[in-house]
Structures are given as C-alpha cells and as structure tokens.
Amino acid sequence: SDYEQLGYNLRSNLFQGGPLKSRSLMRDSYTPDIIQKAIRDPNNWHGRRIYELGKWYEKYFLDLNVQKAMKDKYG
C-alpha cells in the first residue's frame, strides 16, 4: 500500500530534507558590491509609499472587524 511504501522510503532515508545552505537568486546573480550599493528607501516600498500601505491595511482590518461584528450579530 501507499502507507507501507512511504514508511519504507522514510526508513531508507530517501527523503533527506532540504539543502543545508539556502540560496538566493539575487545573491547568485549579482556580485557582492552590487548588493552593497543597492539603495533601500524605507519610504518607497516596491513603488508604493508607506502611508499608502498603512491606509490599505487600515481599511482591510476595518472590513474584517465589520464582517466579524455582522457575523456575531446576525449569525
């Protein structure tokens, strides 16, 4: 059965787990000096401003609270 085959594979150590060292496409693609020169602007996150993200999250959680209140009240 599938269960016995899975047990056999686990006992045989065919599933050895993930790699010991994680790899990153960015680190593999660029030299270290390019990564160090990268400018990180905390106010501009992937083309969006921080306050825009804050407004989105505020509306999202407000909507969740309204849905929860409606469910509690009306079932």
Side-chain angles (χ1 to χ4, degrees):
S1 73
D2 292 337
Y3 183 75
E4 291 172 357
Q5 188 175 7
L6 177 64
Y8 172 76
N9 289 336
L10 287 170
R11 287 190 304 275
S12 317
N13 199 17
L14 292 179
F15 306 122
Q16 298 177 5
L20 296 176
K21 183 179 179 184
S22 63
R23 300 186 64 181
S24 166
L25 180 62
M26 182 177 174
R27 292 192 190 277
D28 290 344
S29 301
Y30 299 104
T31 57
D33 61 324
I34 296 293
I35 295 172
Q36 291 171 355
K37 288 180 186 175
I39 298 171
R40 293 179 183 91
D41 184 10
N43 293 327
N44 193 351
W45 186 78
H46 293 289
R48 291 182 180 233
R49 300 271 177 215
I50 294 297
Y51 65 87
E52 291 174 356
L53 290 174
K55 287 181 182 178
W56 184 88
Y57 274 107
E58 185 179 353
K59 289 179 183 178
Y60 173 72
F61 286 116
L62 180 64
D63 183 52
L64 284 179
N65 290 338
V66 168
Q67 287 180 3
K68 185 178 177 183
M70 294 285 283
K71 186 176 179 183
D72 291 343
K73 185 172 184 177
Y74 297 112

